Amino acid sequence: RGVSSTAGLNSGAGMANPVRNALLADLLKQAEQAKLKRDKDKVHQQARDLAAGDPLGILRKPALASPLNKLPQSTTMVKSQQGYDSTPPKTLPPDATAGNAEVQTKSIPLTLDEIEWLTSVAARTGHAAISGVLRRLVQWANTENPEAKKKIFLQIRCRRCSAGAKGGVKTQHDLELTNTEWQWLMNVKERCNHATVDKTLRIIVDFYMPLCKSDPDFEKKVVQAGWNGKSDRHQDAVTAAGARALGA
């Protein structure tokens, strides 16, 4: 009787082994097929990147995790539910509508280093006042793609932490921008949860200032009066933002 019971157990184990082996073989086959698919997709993606002139896939991959994740839920979740885009949309050109092309003067506080840079740029790029430089910066920022706008307006960049930094004291300056440009700045301020429009304007200056200082050709395309560098503007801006601004 004991022998018979043992034989029955062995028989049951023998029947279970083929089942387990078949399941294991099926799982291995599925894993192998999944790996082949991933490898195939990777090869196709590399081919697309190469065709797009981006063999390393730099433009396709975000340099950092989206700064939107760091915003308070009241800003990101509520606006997402209401259908808002996280980045300010492009506005019409200043001359697209007659009323919005009118110039409006507002008093904006700027830091010492911002004033020094804006004044020097205005002198060497053909602008009569710093308002001309600021208009070019606003127009350039307005035409950036959504990812670049996230880096400009949502990524925290601290250049004023040292005791000797020139950003501690601000002085008021009268700035002339069109109604369209002031409205766009207000849109950015609301969507990005900035404290004031003044802050939004200083963010733009602080973002482009180190880029222009390190690259005179880029500065010329961005701020020189009468310069129209739109043909290669987009690629230059993406390259500059990715290579230099993220570490600023």
Side-chain angles (χ1 to χ4, degrees):
R1 185 174 179 181
V3 173
S4 175
S5 177
T6 302
L9 289 174
N10 290 337
S11 175
M15 294 175 63
N17 285 334
V19 175
R20 286 197 297 269
N21 290 340
L23 291 174
L24 180 60
D26 186 55
L27 291 173
L28 291 174
K29 183 178 180 180
Q30 292 179 15
E32 183 178 359
Q33 290 176 344
K35 184 178 183 303
L36 289 173
K37 184 179 184 304
R38 288 195 301 271
D39 292 342
K40 184 177 180 180
D41 291 343
K42 183 178 180 181
V43 170
H44 288 169
Q45 184 61 62
Q46 290 174 341
R48 289 192 293 269
D49 290 339
L50 186 61
D54 181 31
L56 299 181
I58 295 175
L59 300 180
R60 174 172 49 84
K61 302 174 182 177
L64 295 173
S66 173
L68 295 175
N69 295 332
K70 301 178 182 179
L71 291 179
Q73 181 175 346
S74 59
T75 301
T76 56
M77 294 301 293
V78 173
K79 289 188 176 182
S80 174
Q81 293 169 359
Q82 294 176 350
Y84 283 91
D85 187 357
S86 301
T87 56
K90 296 180 178 62
T91 58
L92 294 174
D95 57 352
T97 56
N100 286 342
E102 296 179 359
V103 173
Q104 184 177 4
T105 301
K106 294 185 179 183
S107 182
I108 301 295
L110 297 171
T111 63
L112 177 59
D113 58 337
E114 290 168 345
I115 290 298
E116 289 178 348
W117 178 71
L118 290 169
T119 302
S120 65
V121 170
R124 63 175 174 268
T125 55
H127 292 284
I130 64 173
S131 292
V133 178
L134 286 167
R135 288 196 63 189
R136 294 288 301 212
L137 293 176
V138 169
Q139 292 167 5
W140 191 278
N142 182 18
T143 57
E144 294 282 14
N145 62 51
E147 285 302 316
K149 286 181 180 178
K150 289 178 185 178
K151 293 181 178 69
I152 296 172
F153 297 113
L154 297 176
Q155 178 176 303
I156 297 174
R157 293 176 295 277
C158 184
R159 301 191 299 106
R160 310 183 185 281
C161 295
S162 64
K166 298 179 180 180
V169 179
K170 301 180 182 69
T171 56
Q172 299 290 131
H173 291 267
D174 290 338
L175 303 177
E176 295 181 348
L177 301 178
T178 65
N179 290 336
T180 297
E181 290 157 350
W182 285 122
Q183 184 59 54
W184 182 77
L185 289 169
M186 177 61 71
N187 293 344
V188 175
K189 179 257 183 188
E190 294 296 331
R191 290 174 181 270
C192 298
N193 202 28
H194 297 159
T196 62
V197 171
D198 308 351
K199 176 66 174 177
T200 302
L201 190 56
R202 289 196 299 273
I203 286 174
I204 294 175
V205 175
D206 288 344
F207 181 83
Y208 288 110
M209 180 164 59
L211 299 182
C212 292
K213 284 183 176 180
S214 63
D215 189 341
D217 291 334
F218 181 74
E219 176 185 277
K220 179 180 179 181
K221 292 179 181 180
V222 175
V223 299
Q224 182 159 332
W227 175 266
N228 186 357
K230 290 185 178 180
S231 59
D232 56 353
R233 191 210 64 77
H234 178 268
Q235 183 59 45
D236 287 347
V238 172
T239 301
R244 293 185 294 273
L246 292 181

